[in-house]
């Protein structure tokens, strides 16, 4: 998710690593980790992660389930 190899080869200490492109959503891996491990009630970020096409499908499904749970809990509280 966070990194892809452009061309195979050997990499050693001191070799240069260059970002060739960035996803327009610019969601850092730390943000994904934060919501996954601690801030599971951050519905706004969970919704952003569900919409993130660069996120692996299994992670997106995980966050979709979290979002559905929050939305269901909110509907129950509104009744």
């Amino acid at each position: 998710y966070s990194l892809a190899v452009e061309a195979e080869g050997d990499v050693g200490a001191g070799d240069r690593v260059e970002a060739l492109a960035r996803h327009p959503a610019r969601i850092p891996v730390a943000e994904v980790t934060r919501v996954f491990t601690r801030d599971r009630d951050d519905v706004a970020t969970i919704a952003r992660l569900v919409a993130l096409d660069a996120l692996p499908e299994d992670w997106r499904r995980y966050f979709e389930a979290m979002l559905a749970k929050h939305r269901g809990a909110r509907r129950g509280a509104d009744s």
Side-chain angles (χ1 to χ4, degrees):
Y1 163 69
S2 63
L3 196 40
V5 175
E6 180 72 12
E8 271 189 54
D10 295 326
V11 179
D15 287 353
R16 189 170 147 219
V17 176
E18 177 183 358
L20 301 177
R22 295 185 189 277
H23 193 279
R26 310 271 306 200
I27 299 176
V29 172
E31 188 91 347
V32 177
T33 304
R34 177 183 62 79
V35 173
F36 181 76
T37 60
R38 292 190 323 265
D39 297 329
R40 296 178 179 197
D41 293 327
D42 185 349
V43 176
T45 300
I46 295 169
R48 287 178 60 211
L49 294 174
V50 166
L52 184 60
D53 63 342
L55 199 64
E57 186 62 33
D58 57 334
W59 280 79
R60 223 173 21 254
R61 281 194 306 267
Y62 173 83
F63 288 119
E64 283 172 350
M66 285 179 73
L67 189 59
K69 179 180 167 189
H70 282 290
R71 288 181 175 161
R74 193 172 63 220
R75 270 195 296 273
D78 292 340
S79 302

